[in-house]
Each structure stands twice: as structure tokens, then as C-alpha cells.
Amino acid sequence: MISQIEGLPAGTLGFRAHGQVTADDYESIIVPDVEAAFALNRKLRLLYVTAEDFTGFDPGAMWNDAKLGARHFSGWDRVALVTDVPWLRVTAATFSFAIPAQVRLFHAAEIEQATAWITEASDG
């Protein structure tokens, strides 16, 4: 299940993953929010948090994530991933070089720092 993180500034989206994330979670929550935000903004920032009860992604969810990322490949300004899940941290670190955005990993205890970083003004 995916829930929205409220209270972020315009141009910044936040999502929290709970339990097993499914393709339907992407289609019903993430995709509409991302598409609506890109209709208003050239660049977006993303805060993605895995909750303590996060268990993983269904294959369909991973495919939808890849499709969404490819569709807006150069549209991301910053991406903050907040997780203590070892395989997710390794995967994100391994592939972050391929994303044309600033990508930072944070541990669950660093949620406040991640939120501050994703919402701070750009360097230039």
C-alpha cells in the first residue's frame, strides 16, 4: 500500500510504502499524482519512504515504477529515499548514477533530514 505524505511544497511529492506495494498502488496513487504534478511543473522532487511494515514490491509495481521513471526520465530534480531495507539501499545506490537528478539515501531515523533536503532551495 502507498500513502501520500502531505504538507510538502509545490513541486515536491512524497509517498510512504506500507506492506507489499502492488501495481494497483502505482496506478491508483503514484501515477495520477506524478502526472498531475508534471502538468504543472517542469521538474519535480520526490520523497519516498518505506514504513516499518514495508515488505517489498510486487513485480507489477516494479515494472510500473520503471515505466514511470522512463516516461519522466529527465524531469526529476531531487530524489530522497528513506529506508533501512538493505536490498533497496543497495539497489538505489547501484543505479542512482543513471538517474539525471540528485539522489540521496537516508536511514529511517533521518526522515527529518531527508524532508529538509528535499524541500530546501536549490543551489543555483
Side-chain angles (χ1 to χ4, degrees):
M1 180 178 95
I2 297 285
S3 62
Q4 296 172 328
I5 298 172
E6 303 290 336
L8 297 172
T12 304
L13 298 174
F15 300 101
R16 182 170 277 110
H18 297 272
Q20 190 73 11
V21 176
T22 68
D24 185 58
D25 293 328
Y26 268 82
E27 290 301 319
S28 64
I29 298 170
I30 292 179
V31 171
D33 284 359
V34 168
E35 296 298 348
F38 271 118
L40 300 173
N41 301 278
R42 202 171 119 290
K43 290 276 194 179
L44 289 181
R45 293 179 176 195
L46 175 66
L47 173 64
Y48 197 94
V49 179
T50 59
E52 287 184 24
D53 63 348
F54 173 77
T55 57
F57 299 99
D58 286 350
M62 293 180 3
W63 175 243
N64 283 347
D65 184 54
K67 287 191 306 185
L68 185 64
R71 192 163 48 244
H72 298 291
F73 184 69
S74 63
W76 302 102
D77 179 33
R78 290 185 177 179
V79 177
L81 174 60
V82 182
T83 186
D84 287 333
V85 178
W87 68 264
L88 192 51
R89 291 183 64 81
V90 169
T91 301
T94 301
F95 292 104
S96 65
F97 78 91
I99 301 169
Q102 295 179 58
V103 178
R104 284 190 55 189
L105 292 172
F106 296 88
H107 288 282
E110 299 172 314
I111 183 70
E112 290 180 16
Q113 293 94 321
T115 303
W117 179 74
I118 205 72
T119 60
E120 74 185 9
S122 294
D123 296 335

